[in-house]
Amino acid sequence: MDAWLFNERTGGLAATATDGVEECGSAKKFSIAEDPDTVVCDESFVHKTILVGDSGVGKTSFLVQFDTGKFQHGCFAATVGIGFTTKTVLTPEGSVKLQIWDTAGQERFRSITHAYYRDAHALLLLYDVTSKSSFDNIRAWLAEIKEYAHDDAVIVLIANKADMQSSRVIRREDGERLAAEFSVTFMETSAKNGHNVTHAFQMIATNLRQRQYFPRSKLINITPADDDVPPSNRSSCCGR
Amino acid sequence: MSDIEHVEGRVREIHLAAESATILDAVENLSPGSISEPCFDVTDSSNDVVVVVGGGFPGSTESSRGSFSRTLHHSSGSITQIRAANVVDVDQQTVIARTERVPAKEASDYGEEMVRKVHMRSRGGSMEKSEILTTETVSCVDVEEDIADENAEGPLHVECTSSYLQEGVTQPHSDQQDEVDSSKPLPDQEELDYTQIPEWRNQRRQLFVFSNSGKPVYTRHGDEDRLVTLCGVMQAIVSVVNDTNDNQLWSMRAIGTTISFLIRTPLVLVTVAKTGESDRQLVLYLNYVYDFIISVLTAPQLSRIFIRYPNFDLRRMLSGTEKILDRLVDWFDEDFGFLLGAVRCMPLPPPLRESINSLLTHSCQKTPNLVFALVIAKRQLISVTRLKKYILHPSDIRILINLVDTSDSFKTAEAWIPICLPKFDAGGFLHAYIHYLRESPVCLIYLAVDPSLFHSLAQSSANFVSKMESSGNLDSVLAAMSSTAFYTVQQTSVVELRHFVYKASSAAQLTSPVIGHPYVDEEGRQILRGFYRYLHRKMHCPTRAAKIIVVTSNTEMLLGWVSGTFELYAVLEPSITKHQAVLAIEKLMRWMKKEESQLFTINSQVFS
């Protein structure tokens, strides 16, 4: 499969559009008809989305806000290991199932979280607008993502805690400039008041959904097909 | 104030029995103690300042002290000794100090001088460090004075031959600083030295963890950065003693305060306790803290870090776990089970427990590479099953339960975490799958060796959850949790009984009723915990272990009974006779036998 992937990549996009579907296991998940308007995507397919960033930038709060619409006031409790949540996002094109991995920001978990980068279809990289160090570390995070994550993964840079205007130290322009430099999407959010939180996930879902149509994305979608678990089970095992 | 000393102050009789057929025989054959000569372990409560130094376990060093014994004078004329085993040859001229009008704290001061001396020898007398240490050890409060009036300590005056002492000791003790409310949070001004703050000094238990190079790793009270100097001083004391051949510093005692050391290279753990616990109990406490750190890092990783970077700041690796460790050490204070090496089990109707056990074991059998599986709720064990040949140690279960219960992030999502269980294997991580069932307090934990098992465990968990739901077991557990899980002592229908703790030794599980009158409030609970710690200390004293102990005071009768299959610690009404007490305990034992299958998960569940 690896060799095949390699050929796919070097062989050009047009040639692989139909071949890939016929050959690989991902054909079970979606089919591409001749006419792009009649494309049918398998909605049970789970897109893996991973939240990364320094400890304390609000990854868990961001996810909880998205999942439950609530914000946990009070003290900060560091995430241990990796948390898994499955959530279905409705986009204009249909629903998209996201399996969201909330990782711990601490240094000692890096080696564990790296292992999960490779499978991720989308990465949400967060920093805290009130913490300069979390912003400064973004470059290191992006370098890590480049090293471990798949080239085609959707990357979104999130400037969290945008509600805290009084203690803000990172301007919006700084974030935008950095995002442009690495050509990733940028967004300011607030896990506290919910600003842009759902929007961020919806954007990812739309993006992932669109990528399913294009051959390039097959490189991503093939990965789960390597597992023995059939797609229907995969979604139910993580469903809650 | 120490509850245990509090008990001792009121004690009328103590009986000890070594070998007897029944509890009745044991008690009847005893010769009574007397008020003037109670059978106490004298070194525990006497006015000595004792520095215990030795190569072995703390208890074993008591008989081997000797070569160093120094007399110190003070105005009241009584003699205080500093004793240590074959080390610390201190120059007499500088140790002797005269004190005047020293209420309550005199022994502590001598201890401090001793410590100061040790320190001066090691660093050539760094003045600043000496002073810091002084304020620390002066905070030792005489317990007996304490009982009379906690806030009535007079000003302390010390006149000494050393200029360090004068500056160090007289300064921090003003009347105003002795008015203390330990419940207030610590003031947060950067410039304030903790050792000058009464709230900090009067904590019942301090805990410090630092590296061999003296860098702070964790402190229970206060910010590590501001305790750097103190950690440096403690490291100096430790290394001075350890530099002499075959010696290791275990503990230092002043009136009412024991400073206990646990040296686990590359870390040093120190606790300063005013809880009346024995050295053995304090070392157990420190071991839990060490095990926790190992559970986060594993032993090889810990030593690797310090071999490569001897002055590494370990807080970087432990960041995010401070709250979990805070909770663990607080839990230790709340739960007597830590000392007993047992886990609390949730009382459930036997058929329900059977059913959950078999469901869990069944789900494990179908999942390859799984080692342990547990169901817990509210810090109590509901069910546990293990792979054949492997055993899950109670202390590992405690660390696991504490981690799962303290981290809120597990409650919202399934989690997959690396965790090292030090008693199982300190050398590597297990991977834990954690899932709260239907967002109830009931939590399922799978422990596996393979880090890639998440999906198959999630699958297995989904099966388990659906079976728990469809069989109605989950609802039954939730119902039981709100009704039968907490029972009162009245349900045992032993009227003389106020409270008890029973440990089933074979299963390493314990049970106790909810705390009732007269120990309901926080102070009462603390007193009750003090009783149990006291009984435990007496029964597990390495030089004079007892099978049965009865202690009578004006306010309660304490009874401890240890046998091969169980340990029982009970608090009874004070007005009853020994005979009545024995009948009450026998009645309790019959009740216990009857309820055993409800209170414990006795049959070990194994899958292969």
Side-chain angles (χ1 to χ4, degrees):
Chain A
M1 192 59 94
D2 278 343
W4 181 81
L5 278 178
F6 181 70
N7 289 338
E8 282 291 291
R9 216 177 285 187
T10 52
L13 300 178
T16 57
T18 44
D19 296 357
V21 173
E22 280 160 21
E23 275 182 49
C24 78
S26 61
K28 291 178 219 153
K29 299 186 193 70
F30 63 95
S31 57
I32 298 176
E34 297 297 318
D35 179 4
D37 290 331
T38 60
V39 164
V40 181
C41 282
D42 184 348
E43 296 191 346
S44 68
F45 182 75
V46 178
H47 295 270
K48 296 181 179 175
T49 306
I50 180 164
L51 291 169
V52 291
D54 275 11
S55 172
V57 297
K59 295 181 289 296
T60 305
S61 298
F62 186 77
L63 179 56
V64 169
Q65 172 65 253
F66 173 59
D67 192 20
T68 65
K70 288 180 195 135
F71 178 74
Q72 188 84 40
H73 288 269
C75 50
F76 157 74
T79 305
V80 183
I82 299 176
F84 289 74
T85 311
T86 315
K87 186 94 175 160
T88 304
V89 185
L90 291 172
T91 66
E93 290 89 7
S95 64
V96 175
K97 215 165 207 174
L98 294 181
Q99 183 187 73
I100 308 164
W101 304 351
D102 176 26
T103 65
Q106 278 85 23
E107 199 178 323
R108 65 174 183 283
F109 292 112
R110 293 289 152 82
S111 57
I112 300 146
T113 47
H114 284 167
Y116 291 84
Y117 282 15
R118 202 159 28 92
D119 295 340
H121 300 132
L123 291 106
L124 286 158
L125 175 55
L126 278 82
Y127 71 87
D128 171 0
V129 296
T130 67
S131 152
K132 182 151 185 337
S133 66
S134 77
F135 180 71
D136 293 342
N137 286 337
I138 289 294
R139 281 172 187 279
W141 280 110
L142 281 165
E144 242 171 43
I145 289 170
K146 255 196 161 48
E147 187 179 345
Y148 295 99
H150 204 282
D151 292 346
D152 278 343
V154 178
I155 301 168
V156 183
L157 181 63
I158 304 264
N160 197 25
K161 308 197 190 176
D163 57 288
M164 294 170 79
Q165 285 300 343
S166 56
S167 47
R168 175 196 273 266
V169 290
I170 305 298
R171 289 172 305 157
R172 189 190 168 91
E173 300 83 71
D174 298 333
E176 278 170 342
R177 199 173 315 123
L178 188 69
E181 189 185 325
F182 286 85
S183 35
V184 296
T185 320
F186 176 78
M187 201 175 268
E188 282 210 335
T189 65
S190 164
K192 192 171 178 179
N193 61 27
H195 172 65
N196 263 351
V197 172
T198 315
H199 181 58
F201 282 102
Q202 228 146 27
M203 198 189 69
I204 283 183
T206 313
N207 208 325
L208 288 171
R209 178 80 185 204
Q210 283 166 354
R211 285 192 180 204
Q212 275 195 338
Y213 298 123
F214 298 106
R216 225 157 57 92
S217 65
K218 284 208 301 302
L219 295 174
I220 308 164
N221 294 337
I222 283 159
T223 324
D226 291 342
D227 295 355
D228 293 326
V229 191
S232 55
N233 285 357
R234 294 179 62 80
S235 54
S236 69
C237 75
C238 303
R240 288 154 55 79
Chain B
M1 147 164 106
S2 162
D3 311 316
I4 287 168
E5 313 305 336
H6 188 60
V7 183
E8 288 180 357
R10 290 185 284 165
V11 164
R12 285 204 309 258
E13 295 171 277
I14 282 196
H15 310 285
L16 298 166
E19 295 284 341
S20 292
T22 70
I23 183 168
L24 189 59
D25 292 347
V27 176
E28 291 299 317
N29 292 336
L30 284 168
S31 54
S34 69
I35 303 165
S36 57
E37 267 187 44
C39 310
F40 286 133
D41 186 355
V42 182
T43 52
D44 281 358
S45 54
S46 67
N47 289 342
D48 290 0
V49 174
V50 184
V51 181
V52 181
V53 186
F57 195 76
S60 70
T61 61
E62 293 192 14
S63 56
S64 65
R65 295 186 199 113
S67 72
F68 174 71
S69 170
R70 189 85 57 215
T71 311
L72 299 167
H73 312 280
H74 57 78
S75 54
S76 70
S78 72
I79 290 170
T80 306
Q81 283 185 319
I82 295 178
R83 287 179 277 166
N86 59 35
V87 250
V88 202
D89 110 58
V90 181
D91 179 9
Q92 189 172 5
Q93 303 306 318
T94 40
V95 170
I96 291 178
R98 259 176 48 77
T99 57
E100 294 175 356
R101 286 201 308 117
V102 184
K105 295 204 171 92
E106 46 216 7
S108 318
D109 297 336
Y110 290 116
E112 153 211 324
E113 283 153 28
M114 170 73 188
V115 169
R116 179 188 305 282
K117 184 60 195 160
V118 171
H119 172 245
M120 275 154 49
R121 282 170 57 80
S122 70
R123 288 290 146 99
S126 154
M127 190 142 133
E128 187 201 12
K129 291 187 177 179
S130 293
E131 280 172 17
I132 302 276
L133 183 66
T134 300
T135 56
E136 156 60 8
T137 39
V138 160
S139 71
C140 312
V141 178
D142 183 334
V143 174
E144 281 158 38
E145 288 285 322
D146 230 18
I147 291 166
D149 186 350
E150 201 168 13
N151 294 324
E153 293 158 14
L156 182 71
H157 298 282
V158 179
E159 190 185 288
C160 22
T161 53
S162 155
S163 60
Y164 303 123
L165 292 182
Q166 251 169 350
E167 289 173 38
V169 177
T170 51
Q171 190 58 35
H173 265 270
S174 68
D175 288 352
Q176 176 219 341
Q177 278 173 327
D178 284 336
E179 287 165 16
V180 165
D181 177 8
S182 60
S183 61
K184 267 191 279 177
L186 295 175
D188 207 29
Q189 297 99 309
E190 286 280 322
E191 70 277 8
L192 257 180
D193 181 356
Y194 282 132
T195 54
Q196 310 283 325
I197 305 170
E199 284 91 342
W200 187 85
R201 293 200 322 233
N202 284 17
Q203 293 290 346
R204 282 168 54 80
R205 199 200 285 277
Q206 294 278 2
L207 171 65
F208 308 92
V209 182
F210 49 91
S211 71
N212 263 356
S213 62
K215 265 202 183 168
V217 172
Y218 170 84
T219 55
R220 175 62 189 91
H221 301 287
D223 174 18
E224 292 88 8
D225 283 331
R226 288 164 61 194
L227 292 162
V228 171
T229 333
L230 189 61
C231 287
V233 174
M234 287 189 283
Q235 164 56 20
I237 298 170
V238 168
S239 60
V240 161
V241 177
N242 287 16
D243 276 353
T244 54
N245 291 335
D246 301 326
N247 277 308
Q248 188 172 334
L249 184 59
W250 281 104
S251 75
M252 300 167 80
R253 275 186 226 148
I255 293 175
T257 301
T258 306
I259 308 172
S260 199
F261 298 80
L262 178 67
I263 295 144
R264 289 289 193 94
T265 313
L267 296 180
V268 179
L269 301 95
V270 182
T271 178
V272 180
K274 296 169 196 172
T275 51
E277 284 159 296
S278 69
D279 291 340
R280 210 171 246 263
Q281 290 170 330
L282 289 171
V283 166
L284 201 66
Y285 169 79
L286 292 175
N287 261 316
Y288 272 105
V289 176
Y290 179 75
D291 279 353
F292 174 82
I293 294 172
I294 292 301
S295 81
V296 176
L297 294 172
T298 72
Q301 196 187 350
L302 181 68
S303 53
R304 218 166 35 232
I305 289 171
F306 281 99
I307 287 168
R308 282 182 67 186
Y309 313 102
N311 79 24
F312 189 81
D313 184 353
L314 197 64
R315 284 181 302 168
R316 236 173 80 192
M317 293 303 273
L318 294 174
S319 67
T321 61
E322 299 87 351
K323 281 208 180 104
I324 305 169
L325 183 51
D326 285 354
R327 190 68 195 95
L328 181 73
V329 295
D330 291 351
W331 192 24
F332 183 96
D333 281 337
E334 289 160 21
D335 194 342
F336 181 51
F338 276 90
L339 286 177
L340 288 179
V343 185
R344 239 166 237 281
C345 191
M346 178 166 286
L348 288 177
L352 178 60
R353 196 188 298 281
E354 275 304 302
S355 168
I356 296 172
N357 279 346
S358 71
L359 274 181
L360 187 66
T361 311
H362 187 69
S363 83
C364 293
Q365 236 137 16
K366 285 181 164 176
T367 318
N369 298 324
L370 197 61
V371 191
F372 301 114
L374 302 96
V375 180
I376 60 166
K378 298 196 168 170
R379 295 191 168 241
Q380 299 186 40
L381 200 60
I382 290 179
S383 178
V384 57
T385 174
R386 61 194 173 84
L387 189 62
K388 229 180 197 165
K389 291 191 294 191
Y390 295 102
I391 290 167
L392 193 51
H393 194 279
S395 121
D396 286 344
I397 299 182
R398 289 261 176 193
I399 283 174
L400 191 63
I401 288 181
N402 182 66
L403 172 74
V404 171
D405 194 71
T406 312
S407 317
D408 289 333
S409 59
F410 300 147
K411 285 168 189 150
T412 51
E414 295 165 89
W416 184 236
I417 63 164
I419 181 172
C420 169
L421 297 179
K423 295 282 191 291
F424 173 68
D425 177 12
F429 282 119
L430 285 177
H431 289 78
Y433 169 86
I434 298 161
H435 183 196
Y436 278 88
L437 273 57
R438 233 177 46 190
E439 284 164 17
S440 67
V442 182
C443 179
L444 170 71
I445 305 170
Y446 284 133
L447 288 158
V449 182
D450 187 348
S452 62
L453 270 186
F454 175 80
H455 292 292
S456 63
L457 293 180
Q459 180 69 55
S460 169
S461 153
N463 287 344
F464 177 72
V465 174
S466 67
K467 277 187 192 144
M468 281 287 281
E469 282 186 344
S470 62
S471 62
N473 281 344
L474 185 57
D475 291 326
S476 312
V477 171
L478 294 176
M481 267 166 61
S482 50
S483 59
T484 55
F486 301 97
Y487 61 99
T488 62
V489 73
Q490 281 77 32
Q491 280 169 262
T492 65
S493 27
V494 184
V495 287
E496 300 89 347
L497 199 61
R498 283 186 181 172
H499 194 258
F500 69 90
V501 174
Y502 178 94
K503 173 191 172 186
S505 302
S506 61
Q509 291 167 13
L510 82 145
T511 185
S512 64
V514 289
I515 297 176
H517 180 78
Y519 309 109
V520 186
D521 58 348
E522 186 45 40
E523 195 191 348
R525 281 165 192 267
Q526 233 174 60
I527 289 173
L528 189 65
R529 291 196 285 265
F531 289 153
Y532 289 134
R533 279 202 291 261
Y534 169 80
L535 281 175
H536 181 264
R537 187 178 82 191
K538 292 296 167 197
M539 306 212 69
H540 295 272
C541 170
T543 50
R544 214 168 42 197
K547 295 232 157 159
I548 294 169
I549 293 180
V550 180
V551 184
T552 319
S553 78
N554 290 329
T555 48
E556 47 267 303
M557 180 188 269
L558 309 181
L559 187 143
W561 184 9
V562 176
S563 86
T565 52
F566 67 87
E567 289 183 34
L568 176 70
Y569 302 85
V571 178
L572 300 116
E573 295 294 336
S575 52
I576 58 171
T577 65
K578 277 180 288 182
H579 189 76
Q580 282 171 310
V582 167
L583 293 178
I585 293 304
E586 286 185 337
K587 194 171 172 193
L588 175 65
M589 296 304 292
R590 280 196 299 276
W591 181 83
M592 197 58 79
K593 195 83 211 153
K594 196 174 82 205
E595 301 291 332
E596 202 172 42
S597 55
Q598 169 148 350
L599 296 172
F600 304 110
T601 162
I602 293 286
N603 299 326
S604 180
Q605 301 295 317
V606 181
F607 60 92
S608 52

